């Protein structure tokens, strides 16, 4: 396919089992980029439990069809995030070293392919204003991209190993980024400065990072199986090895029994969600004064397999649901309070690495090892 025109198509609605996904009929269709993209219609298999009938169920989103398949990545897709605010743009990154930007509405045009990383993209985040994107990679760098033009505007060098995770401050006008890597450090960056602002050595490789709501706290996790909370102000003053030595975390949250692969702050800033290769996700109360156990809930059902990939996790915008990918090829959505599985969504043909909710519509995006990206609407 033409580089700028990833293929996209309305996907068959999955029935109860993975096999009954319908027979795919492909016909060529020219896209406005001049390249040809594949438009796909589906014919239900005979005897499938529930054939997809357009218009047969109540639509809940502005997606072109209830399930859209976005194809354009040439290797596993590792990260996915909708733009903040209106959610008009979807960003995906993967093992093909490319960041792709897609229109969420209409035919899901892939309008930019951003190249520059020398290795896979492992994590990506939009800046709070939605103008830029930050990505990180095993090539030891983080990179800043202009979301309008797709141009790389900055390379952040400082890590001496794989950079596994990054996060951007949620506060408008705050240009800070946090990253964590295999060099056992987490680093703070200011997008207006060339070098990292400070770096904290932590003893174990860091595989997940998140900002607190106020931008003054940072959460890190990794091989050590615990979530740590850090005060940015004390960490920055001690990071350069003054008389007090390395800074100590404000709080450690213990309960996981294996590497933590994803961290996400709740929309209200009061909890943090952690995903682990021990086969569970947990939510933790991170408010300063918390009675009793900080582990609020444990979620199970999804699978981490021998691949030990960095499976990410996410919250719905209202904080009522949490979601994760899984090595069993499904996307899981749980009720955040009861931990009951609300959805187990098939469609991917390999491990699902990352998921993300649309900021204001009931749409869930998923990215998989099968190079596919799905956008699916959920019932309200």
């Amino acid at each position: 396919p033409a580089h700028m025109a990833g293929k996209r198509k309305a996907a068959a609605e999955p029935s109860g089992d993975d096999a009954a996904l319908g027979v795919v009929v492909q016909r060529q269709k020219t896209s406005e980029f001049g390249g040809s993209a594949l438009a796909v219609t589906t014919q239900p298999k005979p005897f499938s439990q529930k054939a997809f009938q357009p218009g047969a169920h109540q639509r809940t989103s502005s997606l072109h069809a209830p399930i859209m398949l976005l194809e354009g990545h040439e290797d596993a897709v590792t990260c996915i995030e909708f733009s903040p605010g209106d959610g008009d743009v979807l960003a995906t990154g993967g093992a093909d070293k490319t960041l792709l930007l897609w229109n969420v509405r209409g035919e899901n045009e892939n309008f930019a392919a951003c190249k520059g990383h020398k290795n896979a993209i492992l994590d990506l985040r939009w800046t709070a204003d939605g103008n830029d994107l930050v990505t990180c990679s095993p090539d030891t760098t983080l990179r800043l991209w202009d979301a309008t033009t797709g141009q790389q505007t900055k390379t952040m060098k400082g890590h001496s190993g794989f950079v596994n995770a990054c996060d951007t401050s949620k506060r408008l006008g705050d240009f800070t980024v946090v990253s964590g890597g295999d060099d056992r450090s987490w680093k703070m960056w200011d997008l207006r400065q060339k070098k990292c602002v400070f770096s904290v050595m932590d003893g174990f490789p860091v595989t997940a990072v998140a900002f607190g709501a106020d931008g003054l706290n940072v959460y890190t996790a990794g091989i050590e199986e615990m979530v740590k909370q850090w005060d940015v102000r004390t960490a920055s003053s001690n990071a350069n090895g003054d008389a007090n030595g390395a800074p100590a975390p404000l709080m450690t949250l213990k309960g996981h029994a294996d590497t933590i692969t994803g961290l996400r702050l709740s929309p209200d800033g009061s909890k943090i969600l952690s995903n682990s290769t021990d086969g569970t996700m947990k939510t933790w109360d991170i408010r300063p004064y918390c009675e009793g156990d900080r582990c609020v809930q444990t979620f199970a059902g999804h699978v981490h397999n021998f691949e030990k990939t960095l499976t990410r996790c996410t919250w719905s915008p209202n904080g009522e649901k949490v979601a994760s990918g899984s090595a069993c090829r499904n996307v899981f959505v749980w009720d955040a309070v009861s931990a009951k599985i609300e959805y187990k969504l098939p469609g991917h043909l390999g491990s699902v690495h990352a998921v993300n909710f649309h900021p204001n519509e009931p749409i869930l995006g998923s990215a998989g090892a099968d190079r596919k990206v799905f956008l699916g609407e959920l019932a309200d």
Side-chain angles (χ1 to χ4, degrees):
H3 263 303
M4 295 297 280
K7 296 180 290 179
R8 65 266 168 198
K9 55 196 182 189
E13 179 163 276
S15 66
D17 62 329
D18 291 19
L21 278 172
V23 183
V24 170
V25 182
Q26 300 190 337
R27 62 177 191 275
Q28 287 297 114
K29 183 186 85 167
T30 53
S31 75
E32 61 249 64
F33 294 107
S36 68
L38 285 171
V40 172
T41 55
T42 57
Q43 293 180 348
K45 277 186 180 174
F47 315 119
S48 75
Q49 291 145 298
K50 188 176 74 179
F52 173 48
Q53 294 166 331
H57 82 304
Q58 195 64 45
R59 292 296 307 275
T60 59
S61 79
S62 62
L63 280 182
H64 188 64
I67 303 170
M68 295 297 291
L69 169 58
L70 281 53
E71 289 184 301
H73 279 288
E74 291 164 14
D75 205 339
V77 194
T78 53
C79 43
I80 179 169
E81 190 165 270
F82 291 98
S83 57
D86 50 23
D88 280 347
V89 179
L90 179 75
T92 58
D96 58 3
K97 312 173 193 172
T98 308
L99 170 69
L100 295 183
L101 302 179
W102 313 78
N103 286 325
V104 172
R105 310 294 187 311
E107 293 274 321
N108 300 126
E109 284 83 13
N110 163 220
F111 65 87
C114 315
K115 295 179 183 292
H117 276 296
K118 308 274 192 294
N119 204 327
I121 295 174
L122 293 183
D123 208 2
L124 70 86
R125 288 290 187 280
W126 289 84
T127 53
D129 57 16
N131 292 336
D132 300 278
L133 287 135
V134 176
T135 55
C136 66
S137 167
D139 68 10
T140 74
T141 69
L142 292 92
R143 292 173 196 244
L144 182 69
W145 309 84
D146 183 308
T148 310
T149 64
Q151 294 298 308
Q152 180 185 313
T153 54
K154 188 177 174 68
T155 304
M156 293 169 263
K157 296 178 179 174
H159 281 284
S160 59
F162 285 23
V163 191
N164 295 315
C166 59
D167 195 18
T168 50
S169 173
K170 307 291 176 284
R171 296 188 307 166
L172 280 169
D174 188 346
F175 297 96
T176 47
V177 173
V178 63
S179 61
D182 277 0
D183 58 5
R184 307 180 178 198
S185 77
W186 64 269
K187 297 183 190 298
M188 186 70 74
W189 309 81
D190 184 322
L191 294 176
R192 297 162 297 187
Q193 296 178 22
K194 189 152 176 68
K195 294 195 164 76
C196 86
V197 181
F198 66 87
S199 177
V200 174
M201 292 302 292
D202 192 31
F204 290 87
V206 179
T207 51
V209 293
F211 266 107
D214 56 7
L216 300 176
N217 289 302
V218 163
Y219 298 85
T220 64
I223 309 292
E224 206 177 353
E225 306 172 2
M226 62 181 80
V227 181
K228 295 180 178 179
Q229 179 192 31
W230 307 82
D231 183 312
V232 169
R233 293 157 296 187
T234 56
S236 62
S237 60
N238 290 351
N240 303 324
D242 64 9
N244 302 327
L250 286 179
M251 178 163 71
T252 55
L253 303 169
K254 298 177 182 174
H256 280 298
D258 207 339
T259 299
I260 295 167
T261 60
L263 284 177
R264 280 280 184 157
L265 186 74
S266 65
D268 69 0
S270 71
K271 298 184 188 75
I272 198 149
L273 175 69
S274 59
N275 202 3
S276 168
T277 49
D278 66 10
T280 68
M281 275 198 324
K282 292 180 184 288
T283 45
W284 310 83
D285 189 331
I286 53 173
R287 291 173 299 185
Y289 308 104
C290 164
E291 299 284 321
D293 187 4
R294 285 189 177 271
C295 183
V296 180
Q297 189 55 275
T298 300
F299 306 83
H302 61 311
V303 181
H304 290 257
N305 66 2
F306 63 91
E307 294 172 17
K308 297 280 194 217
T309 49
L310 295 175
T311 308
R312 311 299 191 180
C313 50
T314 192
W315 294 84
S316 65
N318 59 11
E320 290 175 6
K321 297 181 179 72
V322 294
S324 170
S326 174
C328 69
R329 308 176 181 184
N330 294 297
V331 174
F332 285 81
V333 181
W334 294 262
D335 181 285
V337 177
S338 70
K340 177 175 151 288
I341 296 175
E342 291 200 351
Y343 296 92
K344 181 180 173 185
L345 306 166
H348 281 283
L349 305 174
S351 293
V352 184
H353 294 320
V355 290
N356 193 239
F357 283 95
H358 191 277
N360 48 39
E361 289 195 55
I363 300 169
L364 185 62
S366 59
D370 57 2
R371 310 178 182 187
K372 292 177 166 54
V373 174
F374 281 103
L375 298 183
E377 69 179 34
L378 305 173
D380 263 338

